[in-house]
Amino acid sequence: MAAVAQLRPPEHVTPHDLVTYSRCPHEMELLHARHASLVTGQTVVARTPLDVVPLRHSPLFTPPNLGVVVNDGRLDVAPDDRLVYEDDGEPDLPMLFAEDQIHVDSRYRPPNTTLIDPALGLSGRPDFVIQQRNGDLVPVEYKSTHLFVGYHESHGRTFDVIQAIAECRLVHAAFGRRPNHGVVLYGDVAGDGQHEGWVQIPYGDAEERWLHAAITQIRSDGTRAPVPAERNCASCAPNRDGLCRYAAARFGEEHRPPPVWVPFRT
Ligand code: SF4
């Protein structure tokens, strides 16, 4: 009897994957290989061929960024805004809500805080989701350590736009209502909040089409080529652990978290 071919599920993608791929596809591939090694207990080798030609830029096309609004200062929530979702894995989120504004959706309480879009094979956790008085939902991504001063130069809008688009889609899939924008909030904890700011990123049909195409691009990329550049490599975790043969710069000490790696190399 002929063996029945088993269909492999599409590769799982997160908002973080999209951001990483937009910097360096090989970095994303190394992170996926590490994760697969941890899950299976077997060494999973990155798909990137050894004779790959490094790229100057990621092949991911940039997302639409018309209508992005950059705001200096605090993000103030309205008295009738509600907190309907919070990532329990992020203990240092800012306290923006009074006790009576916290109404976390019972479907997404710990340990079920991962939002999943089965149609796209996308999952992730915004830092929190605000429900406004008219029912509109707003995912918020909080970056505590980044100064807002020099925002355009040091961080760039593209990463924020990608993350906000992916989180809007997750909220749409999980809550059944499409957000019309997402927010990235810069808390500037190190600077005692002196340089807070936030970015409002629109979400609509164009952004959703971009997301579909971007995930298709990632899944169909059989090479996951490296993009060696100081701006990428200096903060790249696989570089920190000596896993990348293409690194253009040493990993920066200021980015060093505790190492947690399984032993595999490309
Ligand atoms: S070290 Fe540089 S080239 Fe290598 S995976 Fe990291 S970002 Fe890409």
Side-chain angles (χ1 to χ4, degrees), residues 167-194:
E167 291 183 355
C168 283
R169 168 72 194 198
L170 285 172
V171 169
H172 185 189
F175 288 83
R177 180 167 177 141
R178 184 163 87 172
N180 57 37
H181 70 276
V183 162
V184 178
L185 168 62
Y186 288 81
D188 184 25
V189 168
D192 201 22
Q194 292 184 48

Side-chain angles (χ1 to χ4, degrees), residues 2-264:
V4 177
Q6 288 214 324
L7 286 176
R8 291 177 59 190
E11 185 179 25
H12 184 78
V13 176
T14 68
H16 185 258
D17 288 333
L18 285 151
V19 170
T20 306
Y21 187 93
S22 76
R23 262 195 319 256
C24 175
H26 190 51
E27 181 183 351
M28 194 203 94
E29 175 63 16
L30 291 172
L31 292 171
H32 272 214
R34 178 193 78 152
H35 181 73
S37 298
L38 286 170
V39 169
T40 63
Q42 299 176 339
T43 300
V44 176
V45 178
R47 71 177 71 179
T48 307
L50 294 178
D51 60 351
V52 65
V53 177
L55 303 176
R56 291 173 66 90
H57 301 283
S58 169
L60 190 68
F61 34 96
T62 53
N65 64 2
L66 289 176
V68 172
V69 180
V70 180
N71 304 277
D72 282 310
R74 288 174 52 103
L75 172 68
D76 289 319
V77 299
D80 42 18
D81 284 348
R82 290 178 163 198
L83 177 71
V84 293
Y85 169 92
E86 187 171 25
D87 180 4
D88 65 317
E90 295 286 345
D92 299 323
L93 296 180
M95 296 293 291
L96 299 177
F97 299 89
E99 199 64 36
D100 62 352
Q101 291 177 284
I102 299 174
H103 297 268
V104 174
D105 190 304
S106 58
R107 294 170 294 175
Y108 305 117
R109 292 195 176 132
N112 301 315
T113 53
T114 299
L115 304 186
I116 298 171
D117 176 2
L120 278 187
L122 179 71
S123 68
R125 296 189 299 216
D127 284 329
F128 45 91
V129 177
I130 300 171
Q131 184 172 46
Q132 297 175 325
R133 184 178 190 177
N134 63 3
D136 283 351
L137 297 164
V138 182
V140 178
E141 182 68 21
Y142 177 60
K143 297 183 187 299
S144 63
T145 56
H146 291 178
L147 292 174
F148 200 65
V149 171
Y151 165 76
H152 302 282
E153 297 77 21
S154 60
H155 307 300
R157 286 184 180 180
T158 303
F159 297 164
D160 288 347
V161 171
I162 290 172
Q163 190 146 10
I165 288 173
E167 291 183 355
C168 283
R169 168 72 194 198
L170 285 172
V171 169
H172 185 189
F175 288 83
R177 180 167 177 141
R178 184 163 87 172
N180 57 37
H181 70 276
V183 162
V184 178
L185 168 62
Y186 288 81
D188 184 25
V189 168
D192 201 22
Q194 292 184 48
H195 301 298
E196 288 187 356
W198 51 285
V199 188
Q200 181 172 316
I201 293 132
Y203 184 69
D205 291 343
E207 288 77 15
E208 197 169 285
R209 280 196 297 274
W210 175 86
L211 183 62
H212 277 259
I215 291 174
T216 301
Q217 155 80 33
I218 289 173
R219 291 205 178 110
S220 62
D221 182 351
T223 302
R224 307 269 164 92
V227 182
E230 185 166 353
R231 68 181 183 280
N232 297 335
C233 306
S235 59
C236 167
N239 185 20
R240 172 195 64 199
D241 296 296
L243 299 174
C244 178
R245 62 179 66 230
Y246 312 99
R250 292 173 66 87
F251 180 85
E253 287 298 322
E254 68 276 19
H255 298 289
R256 186 174 292 280
V260 182
W261 285 96
V262 292
F264 70 90

